[in-house]
Amino acid sequence: MKKLMITLFALTIGLSSLTSCSSDSESATNTTNTTDETVRSYTHSALELELLDEVNTYRVSVGLNPLEIIEHISYKSSEHNDYMLSTQTVTHEGFDERKSNLQEVLGAYRVGENVAFAFSSAEATVNAWVNSASHKANLEGDYTHFGASIKIDDQGRKYYTNMFIKK
């Protein structure tokens, strides 16, 4: 019973710590980009690869195309996780800059982002996203590529950023 209560508490914290954001380049105005325009490599952890696999498994289960990993997207996701860790917030702050970078560096037409906090596993995170209308919209969005990062704070809590693009 105590384990169930702890699990429910963690899920409650996690559900309150979910946010999503997306945008098409059609709706963006032209701005001067001050972001780094270099394609970055990234080495995924086993947990990050599991998260990406869970996203693709879900997409295929609902009749959508699996997405291809681009390391640069994971690199930008990792930068955002670093920011969330340093501020101890779950936020989309800086999304427009990440979006602009992905448009300029990768030629993205559409960009979306899901973030989460404190989920114990990739499966639990994707399940929570599926149960949230705005996150589910990103999971089921018209995208071709994606990337993800998971960072762990000093207390063992995980910060998740999963970004999507269409090229």
Side-chain angles (χ1 to χ4, degrees):
M1 180 68 168
K2 185 175 182 180
K3 185 175 181 179
L4 176 61
M5 290 177 65
I6 291 169
T7 302
L8 289 174
F9 176 73
L11 183 58
T12 302
I13 289 173
L15 286 175
S16 66
S17 300
L18 291 172
T19 57
S20 71
C21 192
S22 65
S23 178
D24 290 343
S25 60
E26 295 176 325
S27 62
T29 58
N30 288 333
T31 59
T32 303
N33 181 22
T34 59
T35 59
D36 182 6
E37 295 183 29
T38 304
V39 175
R40 302 291 182 163
S41 62
Y42 187 82
T43 302
H44 293 94
S45 70
L47 186 57
E48 290 165 339
L49 291 173
E50 184 181 341
L51 179 69
L52 294 167
D53 285 344
E54 289 286 337
V55 169
N56 269 340
T57 297
Y58 173 75
R59 285 180 61 87
V60 169
S61 77
V62 295
L64 298 170
N65 62 300
L67 304 176
E68 293 180 45
I69 298 170
I70 295 180
E71 289 179 1
H72 182 77
I73 301 170
S74 296
Y75 179 85
K76 298 310 284 185
S77 297
S78 178
E79 285 183 332
H80 184 56
N81 276 346
D82 288 340
Y83 174 77
M84 292 194 300
L85 272 166
S86 71
T87 60
Q88 297 181 335
T89 60
V90 180
T91 180
H92 288 286
E93 191 169 327
F95 175 74
D96 288 336
E97 290 82 8
R98 288 187 297 285
K99 175 185 161 193
S100 292
N101 177 273
L102 296 175
Q103 289 171 327
E104 291 188 25
V105 173
L106 300 176
Y109 167 79
R110 177 175 292 121
V111 178
E113 176 178 88
N114 284 346
V115 298
F117 170 73
F119 287 93
S120 61
S121 69
E123 182 181 14
T125 304
V126 173
N127 286 338
W129 285 338
V130 168
N131 289 310
S132 163
S134 60
H135 293 91
K136 186 176 180 178
N138 276 339
L139 290 173
E140 296 180 0
D142 183 19
Y143 298 111
T144 55
H145 298 84
F146 68 157
S149 170
I150 302 169
K151 298 277 178 112
I152 303 172
D153 69 12
D154 293 338
Q155 295 156 350
R157 299 174 301 191
K158 296 177 180 119
Y159 288 78
Y160 297 81
T161 300
N162 182 199
M163 296 190 74
F164 309 86
I165 71 165
K166 181 174 184 175
K167 289 176 59 157

